[in-house]
Structure formats: structure tokens, C-alpha cells
């Protein structure tokens, strides 16, 4: 190999990064023992940012596109190295490619229960899990605060810190919301969005942005879930204390009957359980019967005007003779339809119900039922 080819092989003419991974956040372009040729081509693909670093100092930042590396495009590096305008010699610098795409479907979950004060159940310990997505928002800040000068940086290196920040922020937000434990499932979307907004400042301090946050589940302690199951079972019986006592007693009798002991003592337990169960059933039956009697006696009675039998108030017909009760209807003078007494017009045909009476002596209009004309004294009818 000639000296010319060796020197040419040490010069970088094309600088680019093709990302074939899914979790690489930063990639340092290999420039060790090599120099970058002035006028070399830098290709920055979509969702990438290229940063030049000179002796530990951040220099020029390049957005997506194709860039020709000349002094006009490297103002910061030109100043740091004190190059003259139009400097054309090869140079050394570190080149970092920052991946700015979204890193999605990252999991978070509570390794330890979250303590919460609930108005109904008191102190509770909740567990929760979900997923989130984030991306690099400020590459320079991320390079300074998180990445440093490593050759490669993947999401795994920072996920632990991000998960702890999410759990801390979410716990604080749920506590401030003061939502009852039984209603938390109704507010997953609101809690997710509120927690995401609350966490943005923490992510920005690292040069990151949280793009989405979802709560998949918030689980109650096993003891609380058992209480809820018991309440569901009680739903068919009602909420009063007497029924709850009967239910608990029936449960205890059932458990005792499932485990009878041998001998006379076992027979006594079984007999006592049967007697207690019978007593409970009798009390329940008597209670129901008494309630029905009280309900029946509470109904008001009225007397049929035709057969003098008592019927329930509000009935339209007598149960004994079939006579119509509370007859407050009359027949229309035109269509003979039943209408309410005192109606001036029939709702069926619209006919006026008051018959107009005219005096035969003076033609004056008289009130219905008049026997004499108040104007001339003529006898009507």
C-alpha cells in the first residue's frame, strides 16, 4: 500500500449513522485515529441530530439533511480551533448521533404498594402498572446531563430512573386528586393525562419529553377485594342490619354442617345447626308475612254505593257487582262519548255541551235550566 493510499484511508469523507436497533438513543461515530476531511459529507437522517464535540466542549449541532463540512458550516468549531476563513486541512472532532424518535411501549409498575388515605376504607395500599413513551427533546441538554461521552447509550440505561420519576409523580397526583378507591377506574384517562403534565418538568431537566402515559390497572388490596365480594353477595338481601345478621348466621351454620364431628357431640352440633336454621327460616317467613299484612292493612277501602261491598280506594269498578265507581262522567250531547262532568266541549267531536236556550217572547238568551225569562217573564218549556 502506497503512502498516499494510507493517508487517504485515515481521512473520513462520509459521516452517517444507519440505526438498525430500536432502543439506541446515542451513537458515537468511530473517529479514533482518523481525521475528518474538510469538505466531507455529513448525512443526518430523519429523527436524528448530529453533534460535534471538540475536546469535551459541545460545538456545532446539525439537524436532519445533508451537510458539507466546511468552515462556513462549522462556526463554533472554527472559533474553538481558531481556524482562518477557508481553512482546508483535515481536523479531529467527536461526532455523536442523537436519536430523537419516540421510544414507545415502555413499561412502568409499582415495585412497592402506594399508600393512600381513603374516606371509606381508611389507609390503603394500592398497586398500579401501565406503559409510557418518551423521546429526546433537547439533544444538547441530554448530552450534558445524561449521556456524557459513552460510545453507545440505550434506553435501558435510563429506564429505571424514568420509572421511579413516573411512580413518584403518579402517586402524588392520585393523592392530590382525592378520588375514592372504588371510583379510580372511572378516572384512568384523567389521571394519566394529569400525571403526564405533572412529569414534563422532570423529563425536561434531562432533555427528554414524555409523549404519552397510560394507567392500565390500579389494584386494591386483597382484603378490600374480599369486602367488596361480600357486599356484592349481600346485594340480593338488602342493606339492613337484620338481614346481614341472618346472612352471616346462615354462613356459619353452613360451614359447621360441612364439618360434622363423629359421635354424639357431632350429632348434637348437626341438630343444633338444623334447629337454628329452622328458627331463622321461621323468623324470616313471619317477618315477610307481617310485612305483607301491614302492607295490606295500609290500603284504604271505600264502599260500593250499589251493593255496599268494600273495595280498594281508586278502583273504577266494584269487584262484587261490577258497578262503576266514582261516576263523574256524562255523555256528549252530539256523539254520546263519555266525557268528564262540567266539560264545555267534547274532546272527541268538539261539540259544545251547553244547549243554548232562547226566550220565545223576547228572543233573549237564557241560562240552561231557566224556567222563566228574566227579561219579559215568559214561561220557558
Amino acid at each position: 500500500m502506497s503512502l498516499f493510499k494510507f493517508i487517504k484511508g485515515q481521512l473520513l469523507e462520509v459521516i452517517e449513522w444507519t440505526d438498525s436497533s430500536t432502543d439506541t438513543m446515542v451513537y458515537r461515530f468511530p473517529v479514533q485515529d482518523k481525521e475528518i476531511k474538510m469538505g466531507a459529507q455529513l448525512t443526518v437522517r430523519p429523527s436524528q441530530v448530529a453533534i460535534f464535540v471538540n475536546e469535551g466542549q459541545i460545538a456545532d449541532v446539525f439537524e436532519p439533511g445533508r451537510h458539507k463540512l466546511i468552515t462556513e458550516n462549522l462556526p463554533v468549531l472554527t472559533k474553538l480551533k481558531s481556524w482562518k476563513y477557508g481553512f482546508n486541512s483535515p481536523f479531529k472532532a467527536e461526532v455523536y448521533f442523537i436519536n430523537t424518535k419516540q421510544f414507545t411501549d415502555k413499561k412502568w409498575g409499582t415495585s412497592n404498594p402506594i399508600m393512600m388515605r381513603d374516606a371509606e376504607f381508611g389507609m390503603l395500599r394500592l398497586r398500579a402498572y401501565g406503559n409510557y413513551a418518551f423521546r429526546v427533546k433537547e439533544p444538547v441538554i441530554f448530552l450534558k446531563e445524561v449521556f456524557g461521552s459513552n460510545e453507545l447509550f440505550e434506553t435501558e440505561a435510563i429506564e429505571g430512573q424514568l420509572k421511579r420519576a413516573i411512580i413518584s409523580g403518579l402517586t402524588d397526583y392520585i393523592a392530590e386528586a382525592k378520588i375514592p378507591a372504588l371510583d379510580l377506574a372511572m378516572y384512568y384517562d384523567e389521571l394519566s393525562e394529569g400525571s403526564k403534565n405533572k412529569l414534563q418538568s422532570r423529563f425536561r431537566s434531562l432533555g427528554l419529553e414524555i409523549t404519552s402515559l397510560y394507567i392500565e390497572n390500579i389494584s386494591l388490596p386483597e382484603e378490600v377485594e374480599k369486602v367488596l365480594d361480600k357486599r356484592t353477595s349481600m346485594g340480593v338481601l338488602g342493606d339492613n342490619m337484620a338481614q346481614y345478621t341472618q346472612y352471616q348466621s346462615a354462613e356459619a351454620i353452613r360451614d359447621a354442617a360441612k364439618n360434622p364431628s363423629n359421635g354424639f357431640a357431632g350429632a348434637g352440633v348437626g341438630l343444633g345447626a338444623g334447629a337454628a336454621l329452622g328458627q331463622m327460616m321461621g323468623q324470616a317467613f313471619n317477618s315477610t308475612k307481617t310485612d305483607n299484612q301491614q302492607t295490606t292493612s295500609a290500603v284504604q277501602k271505600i264502599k260500593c254505593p250499589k251493593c255496599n261491598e268494600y273495595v280498594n280506594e281508586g278502583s273504577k269498578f266494584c269487584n262484587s257487582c261490577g258497578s262503576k265507581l266514582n261516576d263523574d262522567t256524562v255523555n256528549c250531547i252530539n256523539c254520546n262519548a263519555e266525557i268528564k262532568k262540567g266539560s264545555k266541549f267534547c274532546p272527541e267531536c268538539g261539540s259544545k255541551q251547553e244547549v243554548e236556550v232562547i226566550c220565545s217572547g223576547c228572543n233573549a238568551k237564557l241560562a240552561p235550566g231557566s224556567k222563566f225569562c228574566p227579561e219579559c217573564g215568559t214561561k220557558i218549556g
Side-chain angles (χ1 to χ4, degrees):
M1 181 184 294
S2 66
L3 180 61
F4 176 76
K5 288 183 178 181
F6 173 77
I7 295 174
K8 185 176 181 181
Q10 297 301 106
L11 298 180
L12 296 173
E13 298 183 5
V14 177
I15 300 174
E16 62 180 348
W17 174 45
T18 303
D19 181 20
S20 59
S21 68
T22 57
D23 293 328
T24 302
M25 299 182 69
V26 182
Y27 171 77
R28 184 176 69 187
F29 191 83
V31 295
Q32 188 176 7
D33 300 327
K34 294 184 179 180
E35 292 186 321
I36 301 173
K37 180 181 178 181
M38 188 62 72
Q41 296 293 325
L42 170 67
T43 301
V44 183
R45 287 177 168 78
S47 300
Q48 291 181 357
V49 170
I51 299 179
F52 279 67
V53 177
N54 176 59
E55 297 179 357
Q57 297 187 58
I58 294 176
D60 299 288
V61 180
F62 293 87
E63 299 291 334
R66 177 171 289 184
H67 309 274
K68 186 176 181 180
L69 299 180
I70 55 178
T71 52
E72 289 84 348
N73 293 338
L74 298 164
V76 179
L77 195 60
T78 299
K79 184 177 180 181
L80 290 174
K81 289 184 175 289
S82 300
W83 290 335
K84 295 181 179 180
Y85 179 75
F87 180 80
N88 200 34
S89 298
F91 62 93
K92 283 190 175 183
E94 295 178 340
V95 183
Y96 294 92
F97 285 91
I98 314 295
N99 200 338
T100 59
K101 73 172 185 179
Q102 287 195 57
F103 296 96
T104 60
D105 200 27
K106 299 299 178 182
K107 307 298 183 181
W108 65 267
T110 54
S111 55
N112 296 311
I114 301 172
M115 296 300 296
M116 173 181 170
R117 189 187 300 276
D118 185 73
E120 186 172 0
F121 297 103
M123 296 299 297
L124 291 179
R125 292 184 299 172
L126 306 179
R127 292 186 179 274
Y129 64 87
N131 60 68
Y132 68 101
F134 72 99
R135 69 185 184 94
V136 177
K137 178 70 172 178
E138 299 292 341
V140 174
I141 296 177
F142 180 70
L143 196 65
K144 288 180 178 180
E145 301 295 333
V146 181
F147 172 59
S149 59
N150 296 320
E151 183 177 348
L152 195 69
F153 191 87
E154 296 182 340
T155 56
E156 183 181 1
I158 198 174
E159 282 183 22
Q161 182 177 352
L162 298 183
K163 287 178 183 178
R164 289 189 290 271
I166 288 174
I167 294 171
S168 174
L170 183 66
T171 302
D172 188 53
Y173 190 79
I174 291 177
E176 290 177 353
K178 296 182 179 179
I179 299 174
L182 296 182
D183 297 334
L184 284 173
M186 299 169 53
Y187 296 95
Y188 279 3
D189 288 343
E190 291 80 359
L191 291 173
S192 299
E193 187 64 24
S195 300
K196 187 190 80 170
N197 295 334
K198 184 181 182 68
L199 289 165
Q200 286 296 5
S201 60
R202 302 187 187 184
F203 275 67
R204 286 197 194 101
S205 65
L206 302 175
L208 303 174
E209 177 188 22
I210 180 169
T211 55
S212 65
L213 173 67
Y214 297 104
I215 299 173
E216 294 183 30
N217 181 261
I218 299 177
S219 59
L220 298 172
E222 184 179 354
E223 296 79 7
V224 177
E225 291 181 352
K226 288 181 179 179
V227 172
L228 295 179
D229 292 340
K230 188 73 70 176
R231 286 188 179 183
T232 303
S233 301
M234 281 297 301
V236 296
L237 299 176
D239 295 327
N240 61 68
M241 194 63 183
Q243 289 176 329
Y244 179 74
T245 303
Q246 292 176 3
Y247 173 80
Q248 291 288 76
S249 300
E251 292 260 300
I253 292 171
R254 182 198 63 190
D255 294 339
K258 283 182 178 179
N259 300 287
S261 56
N262 294 326
F264 181 76
V269 172
L271 183 62
L277 182 59
Q279 183 180 4
M280 285 178 54
M281 293 179 65
Q283 289 175 352
F285 176 78
N286 291 334
S287 176
T288 304
K289 184 177 179 181
T290 303
D291 291 342
N292 291 338
Q293 289 175 350
Q294 290 176 351
T295 303
T296 303
S297 62
V299 177
Q300 298 295 325
K301 301 286 187 178
I302 59 173
K303 201 173 187 181
C304 174
K306 188 171 183 179
C307 66
N308 294 327
E309 290 291 334
Y310 285 96
V311 295
N312 292 338
E313 185 179 16
S315 300
K316 293 185 177 181
F317 296 92
C318 176
N319 296 331
S320 298
C321 64
S323 300
K324 191 173 183 181
L325 304 175
N326 298 326
D327 191 4
D328 58 350
T329 60
V330 295
N331 294 331
C332 173
I333 61 175
N334 181 46
C335 65
N336 208 35
E338 284 192 354
I339 61 175
K340 191 175 181 180
K341 281 184 180 180
S343 299
K344 294 185 178 181
F345 296 91
C346 174
E348 298 291 334
C349 64
S351 301
K352 190 175 182 181
Q353 299 304 300
E354 294 181 354
V355 179
E356 193 174 61
V357 181
I358 305 297
C359 175
S360 59
C362 64
N363 293 325
K365 292 183 179 181
L366 306 178
S370 300
K371 296 183 177 181
F372 294 93
C373 176
E375 299 294 332
C376 64
T378 301
K379 187 176 180 179
I380 307 299

